[in-house]
Amino acid sequence: MRRMGLSHGRMPDEALLTGLTTGDPELAVAFVRRFQRTVFGVALAVLGDPQLAEDVAQQTFERAWRHAQVYDSRRGSVRSWLTAIAHNLAIDTVRARRASPADPEDLDELLGIVTETPERRALADDSAERVRRAVAELPREQARALVMAGIYGMTAREVADAEDVPLGTAKTRIRTGTLKIRALLEAEEKR
């Protein structure tokens, strides 16, 4: 690509990801530099611990390198793929370290935090603002269920118990909230 006049900084995300599989150290460095703030930010937003977030960010890039060949652009951008990897690894870390579940009484306050500043600081780009707006548009009970499941890693059963609702209701809230957020983000991406 460089021979064609494109610097690594101007290469498309997909080209950098493909370059990861070739073992080119320059492309690997360019790939990490492009996404390091986003990946670290997602991990930090979930974990709240910079040291753990660094570990998760490192694991994210290792996983991206090992699985770059399975990336499918039809399912989303490279940024959203990496963000999903980082989020899933961070949730796994929370689950592994969790001694006791989050107190559902704190969720209203925490929900306000999730929809305001931590993601802005963490992601440092427009995707945080898009996610915050999408979560803010959800009905409160869907937003709470989605945050409990997505951020705190609670199972649908744990959400149902915490919210004192039937398991099916908790699953519906999580699924409906997820679908609404996906639709809102996809609609905004098409604009």
Side-chain angles (χ1 to χ4, degrees):
M1 286 286 191
R2 187 167 266 196
R3 284 182 221 111
M4 295 182 345
L6 281 178
S7 72
H8 294 315
R10 298 175 73 189
M11 289 176 67
D13 295 344
E14 290 81 8
L16 282 179
L17 180 62
T18 301
L20 262 178
T21 62
T22 67
D24 182 332
E26 287 183 34
L27 290 175
V29 167
F31 183 82
V32 171
R33 284 192 177 143
R34 181 169 297 173
F35 297 108
Q36 66 189 1
R37 288 178 52 169
T38 300
V39 168
F40 176 77
V42 168
L44 184 61
V46 173
L47 297 167
D49 179 336
Q51 203 66 33
L52 282 175
E54 284 182 24
D55 293 342
V56 167
Q58 178 68 32
Q59 292 170 20
T60 300
F61 286 113
E62 289 172 4
R63 187 163 291 176
W65 172 68
R66 283 194 315 270
H67 300 285
Q69 69 279 1
V70 299
Y71 166 74
D72 183 357
S73 63
R74 295 172 296 181
R75 297 185 68 197
S77 67
V78 171
R79 182 176 303 277
S80 62
W81 181 67
L82 275 175
T83 301
I85 293 171
H87 183 263
N88 291 338
L89 288 171
I91 291 296
D92 290 347
T93 301
V94 167
R95 285 181 178 152
R97 299 178 65 86
R98 181 173 58 179
S100 60
D103 185 1
E105 297 299 316
D106 296 334
L107 274 180
D108 283 327
E109 179 183 335
L110 293 172
L111 195 55
I113 291 170
V114 168
T115 59
E116 289 174 16
T117 58
E119 262 104 15
R120 180 178 296 138
R121 286 192 312 257
L123 295 177
D125 65 11
D126 67 323
S127 61
E129 181 63 29
R130 291 174 36 225
V131 170
R132 271 196 308 282
R133 283 195 310 263
V135 170
E137 289 185 31
L138 293 177
R140 199 75 175 158
E141 65 275 358
Q142 286 176 5
R144 285 177 56 90
L146 194 60
V147 168
M148 283 191 263
I151 302 291
Y152 291 100
M154 295 172 76
T155 65
R157 167 61 61 203
E158 291 171 326
V159 171
D161 292 344
E163 295 290 284
D164 197 28
V165 296
L167 178 60
T169 301
K171 287 180 177 180
T172 298
R173 288 177 180 176
I174 293 166
R175 179 77 175 141
T176 304
T178 302
L179 292 173
K180 284 182 181 177
I181 287 205
R182 182 177 292 149
L184 288 167
L185 294 176
E186 285 175 358
E188 192 169 304
E189 222 173 73
K190 291 179 182 177
R191 285 186 219 156

